[in-house]
């Protein structure tokens, strides 16, 4: 058994796609990179730079989109080639990003939760949110002061609990 060093200088987050052939990661300079893994790869200089100063990122299961937060804005790019950067939101964007089971990206803007699908601008789904979590099977739970919502799609989440 012999292992090869694929990447040195790795930062906080690493995502391996479902095929096991593509590695997305941030390095210690917070640059988001994509590396195609082939037998015998040893050096991170083969990795493609997608974006700089990235605070957080998520990759859809089919690699069609990478969503990332950089400089207080949310962007998407084509996850297969790292091109086509689009601005999703550019003011008061929170650090937290989650993907549901349909690869819809949920994110905060000024305390409200929005949902973006296919790399397009998002729609607000719940206002004045206190907490947001995603389960391993991709159900997003959103908590407000007096209610709890669950979402599997980009449409308005279902209210599953209310104090009323």
């Amino acid at each position: 058994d012999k292992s090869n060093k694929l990447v040195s200088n790795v930062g906080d987050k690493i995502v391996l796609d479902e095929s096991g052939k593509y590695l997305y990661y941030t390095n210690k300079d917070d640059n988001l990179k994509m590396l195609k893994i082939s037998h015998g790869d040893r050096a991170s200089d083969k990795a493609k730079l997608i974006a700089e100063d990235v605070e957080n990122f998520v990759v859809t299961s089919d690699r069609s989109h990478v969503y990332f937060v950089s400089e207080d804005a949310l962007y998407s790019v084509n996850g297969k080639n790292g091109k086509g950067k689009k601005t999703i939101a550019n003011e008061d964007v929170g650090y937290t990003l989650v993907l549901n089971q349909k690869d819809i990206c949920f994110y905060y803007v000024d305390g409200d939760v929005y949902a973006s699908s296919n790399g397009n601008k998002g729609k607000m789904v719940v206002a004045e949110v206190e907490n947001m979590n995603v389960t391993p099977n991709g159900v997003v739970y959103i908590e407000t002061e007096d209610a709890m919502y669950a979402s599997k799609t980009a449409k308005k989440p279902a209210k599953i609990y209310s104090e009323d």
Side-chain angles (χ1 to χ4, degrees):
D1 238 6
K2 186 179 175 188
S3 64
N4 291 328
K5 185 191 316 183
L6 290 174
V7 179
S8 58
N9 191 25
V10 172
D12 293 336
K13 187 166 182 181
I14 298 174
V15 174
L16 185 64
D17 84 317
E18 289 179 351
S19 73
K21 293 182 181 177
Y22 291 87
L23 187 70
Y24 298 82
Y25 65 95
T26 50
N27 65 13
K28 290 190 169 70
D29 295 327
D30 294 326
N31 295 330
L32 175 57
K33 295 191 169 193
M34 175 181 72
L35 176 67
K36 182 177 182 182
I37 301 170
S38 60
H39 185 69
D41 275 353
R42 294 172 187 256
S44 62
D45 61 3
K46 295 179 183 178
K48 176 178 179 51
L49 176 66
I50 294 176
E52 297 178 346
D53 298 321
V54 172
E55 296 174 39
N56 192 11
F57 72 95
V58 290
V59 182
T60 60
S61 61
D62 64 358
R63 294 185 28 238
S64 63
H65 294 91
V66 176
Y67 296 91
F68 62 92
V69 176
S70 176
E71 299 175 3
D72 298 326
L74 175 64
Y75 301 96
S76 73
V77 295
N78 181 315
K80 296 181 181 176
N81 60 25
K83 296 180 180 176
K85 182 176 169 182
K86 283 188 189 173
T87 304
I88 307 278
N90 57 10
E91 287 184 22
D92 301 317
V93 175
Y95 171 80
T96 303
L97 301 175
V98 298
L99 286 175
N100 73 359
Q101 64 189 12
K102 304 280 189 191
D103 280 336
I104 295 162
C105 181
F106 287 78
Y107 59 95
Y108 288 104
V109 174
D110 196 25
D112 302 332
V113 168
Y114 288 72
S116 171
S117 59
N118 298 320
N120 297 315
K121 288 199 182 289
K123 303 184 254 189
M124 185 173 66
V125 291
V126 179
E128 298 177 27
V129 172
E130 293 188 355
N131 198 6
M132 176 174 63
N133 291 297
V134 63
T135 62
N137 65 348
V139 177
V140 176
Y141 290 95
I142 301 168
E143 183 181 350
T144 65
E145 187 177 310
D146 58 0
M148 175 78 80
Y149 299 84
S151 180
K152 296 179 184 179
T153 69
K155 295 181 177 147
K156 186 147 180 74
K159 187 184 285 188
I160 60 172
Y161 166 80
S162 178
E163 287 185 3
D164 298 340

